[in-house]
Amino acid sequence: MVNRIMDAMKIHNQVSGDEGLQELEKIAVSIEEKVYIAATSQSAYLREISLKMLAVENRSQNPMACIDP
């Protein structure tokens, strides 16, 4: 699942070099761990992972949406 999260993040975020990929992996691992710990079932886990990946996609398509007025 971490690899899927990383793939989604690579598509929607510009990263360069080994340092960028390592940072992306740390973020993906952190996201996956938090979702796993909070999940009450496998379906809840998969649903939350899907929502996180959609959020990454939406954030990259509309970067101003993340800024609070």
Side-chain angles (χ1 to χ4, degrees):
M1 196 52 70
V2 170
N3 288 335
R4 287 186 180 183
I5 296 169
M6 279 189 64
D7 289 343
M9 290 170 49
K10 281 186 221 176
I11 291 169
H12 301 290
N13 296 289
Q14 292 181 338
V15 293
S16 59
D18 288 339
E19 282 184 27
L21 287 175
Q22 288 175 352
E23 186 64 26
L24 211 58
E25 184 176 22
K26 286 179 189 178
I27 294 167
V29 167
S30 175
I31 290 169
E32 195 280 335
E33 286 176 345
K34 288 176 184 178
V35 171
Y36 181 82
I37 290 168
T40 56
S41 66
Q42 183 178 8
S43 61
Y45 170 80
L46 294 172
R47 182 175 48 251
E48 189 63 28
I49 289 289
S50 296
L51 289 172
K52 294 291 184 189
M53 288 198 274
L54 281 172
V56 167
E57 182 178 327
N58 289 338
R59 206 172 294 141
S60 68
Q61 291 176 356
N62 190 5
M64 295 303 291
C66 298
I67 300 173
D68 291 328

